[in-house]
């Protein structure tokens, strides 16, 4: 994952009134925590920050008063109606440091005809280097048929990543399609 560079400004005002004024000015209030240091209260440019945090576990390179800070997005507070970002909680990290994150599990491929899948885990907990976090773990279900299972221990992890979830956790369960679904799938195959 590549880091996103953003210019941040230290803020000295707090509270709902200030946060509302900051958002109206195109800024997002944020706080950087971690490593036993005092929290740093900052504002970030709304547009570029919103684009940068679209991926899970976004790594941000923040320039604050001439100093560079690496930070992971730990929490995003959004307006429930407008879905705009209202506040960010960031965790300061160092190059080479290992962090614990939840990575999305994405399925690829087509099952064997007459089979359906149930994805039991949509995210998996890993420990990985903060500057080399994967955006997702790809799991191929290509050609798999009813009765097959994919467990956490079967996942192909990026180099240096350590699985924190139970190795016996079921990620994907493949079963026979119900008769109506199987008929629909076979009629689609015959039509195609």
């Amino acid at each position: 994952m590549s880091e996103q560079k953003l210019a941040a400004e230290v803020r000295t005002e707090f509270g709902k009134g200030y946060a509302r004024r900051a958002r109206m000015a195109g800024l997002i209030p944020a706080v950087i925590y971690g490593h036993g240091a005092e929290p740093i209260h900052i504002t970030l440019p709304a547009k570029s920050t919103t684009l940068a945090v679209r991926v899970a576990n976004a790594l941000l390179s923040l320039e604050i008063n001439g100093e560079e800070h690496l930070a992971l997005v730990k929490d995003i507070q959004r307006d429930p109606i407008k879905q705009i970002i209202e506040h960010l909680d960031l965790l300061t990290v160092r190059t080479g440091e290992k962090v614990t994150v939840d990575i999305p599990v994405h399925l690829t491929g087509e099952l064997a005809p007459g089979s359906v899948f149930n994805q039991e885990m949509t995210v998996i907990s890993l420990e990985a280097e903060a500057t080399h976090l994967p955006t997702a773990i790809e799991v191929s279900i290509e050609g798999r048929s009813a009765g097959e299972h994919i467990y956490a221990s079967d996942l192909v992890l990026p180099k240096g990543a350590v699985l924190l979830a139970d190795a016996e956790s079921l990620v994907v369960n493949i079963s026979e399609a119900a008769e109506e679904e199987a008929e629909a799938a076979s009629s689609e195959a015959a039509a195609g």
Side-chain angles (χ1 to χ4, degrees):
M1 169 187 295
S2 64
E3 59 191 64
Q4 302 290 322
K5 294 188 182 297
L6 297 172
E9 295 178 16
V10 174
R11 63 185 166 107
T12 55
E13 293 182 68
F14 307 98
K16 287 182 182 179
Y18 170 75
R20 194 175 299 119
R21 287 191 306 276
R23 285 190 289 274
M24 288 177 68
L27 300 171
I28 297 173
V31 179
I32 304 173
Y33 301 97
H35 293 292
E38 286 292 315
I40 304 171
H41 299 272
I42 60 172
T43 55
L44 298 166
K47 187 174 183 177
S48 54
T49 302
T50 301
L51 292 172
V53 301
R54 288 172 60 184
V55 297
N57 304 306
L59 180 65
L60 306 177
S61 175
L62 305 173
E63 173 135 351
I64 306 170
N65 295 336
E67 291 182 29
E68 191 170 308
H69 294 265
L70 276 180
L72 276 177
V73 176
K74 288 313 281 179
D75 190 39
I76 301 174
Q77 290 92 47
R78 295 183 188 272
D79 179 282
I81 306 296
K82 299 177 188 174
Q83 288 299 304
I84 60 169
I85 297 174
E86 292 188 329
H87 188 271
L88 290 173
D89 286 338
L90 306 171
L91 176 67
T92 189
V93 294
R94 295 184 181 112
T95 303
E97 178 181 5
K98 296 265 188 171
V99 293
T100 300
V101 290
D102 288 337
I103 305 294
V105 176
H106 291 171
L107 303 181
T108 60
E110 295 284 326
L111 291 171
S115 300
V116 294
F117 71 88
N118 187 24
Q119 186 172 356
E120 304 289 338
M121 297 179 81
T122 56
V123 295
I124 194 88
S125 293
L126 299 179
E127 182 180 73
E129 189 176 323
T131 54
H132 293 94
L133 295 175
T135 54
I137 300 293
E138 300 273 327
V139 177
S140 175
I141 58 172
E142 184 65 41
R144 295 197 179 236
S145 57
E148 292 189 51
H149 307 292
I150 300 171
Y151 295 98
S153 59
D154 299 329
L155 300 179
V156 178
L157 302 178
K159 183 180 176 196
V162 177
L163 180 68
L164 295 180
D166 181 13
E168 297 304 312
S169 297
L170 184 62
V171 177
V172 181
N173 180 26
I174 301 165
S175 58
E176 286 186 32
E179 227 170 276
E180 294 168 8
E181 293 173 1
E183 287 175 17
S186 62
S187 65
E188 283 178 21

